[in-house]
């Protein structure tokens, strides 16, 4: 479970940061266009071992929603 997901607008996209999830070895980041969108309908935009991720591919005019999933439990 990801806790305290923070989203910050930057000049070149969006930066996501979160608290570590116990036992996680990496995190998958998904982006969708609707708040209640199912994860299988969202786009996997990256995977990282860090506690942050920058989405530099987003258009600042796009309305987007994110889910971060812990991997390795």
């Amino acid at each position: 479970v990801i806790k305290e997901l923070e989203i910050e607008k930057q000049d070149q996209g969006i930066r996501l940061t979160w608290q570590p999830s116990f036992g996680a070895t990496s995190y998958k980041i998904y982006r969708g266009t609707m708040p209640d969108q199912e994860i299988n309908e969202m786009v996997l935009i990256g995977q990282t071992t860090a506690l942050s991720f920058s989405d530099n591919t987003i258009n600042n005019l796009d309305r987007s929603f994110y889910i971060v999933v812990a991997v390795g439990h």
Side-chain angles (χ1 to χ4, degrees):
V1 176
I2 300 303
K3 296 183 179 178
E4 299 180 34
L5 177 62
E6 295 183 17
I7 301 173
E8 176 187 355
K9 184 176 183 255
Q10 298 181 316
D11 291 339
Q12 297 296 318
I14 301 291
R15 179 174 171 84
L16 308 171
T17 57
W18 56 88
Q19 295 298 311
S21 180
F22 180 76
T25 56
S26 65
Y27 300 89
K28 290 184 178 182
I29 298 90
Y30 294 85
R31 183 178 64 215
T33 56
M34 299 183 312
D36 294 329
Q37 196 168 2
E38 296 290 328
I39 196 167
N40 63 337
E41 299 172 343
M42 299 176 86
V43 177
L44 175 64
I45 59 169
Q47 185 166 350
T48 183
T49 57
L51 297 176
S52 65
F53 182 84
S54 292
D55 181 2
N56 299 323
T57 64
I58 188 170
N59 179 332
N60 283 337
L61 300 176
D62 291 342
R63 186 173 181 197
S64 297
F65 300 87
Y66 295 89
I67 292 177
V68 178
V69 177
V71 178
H73 283 130

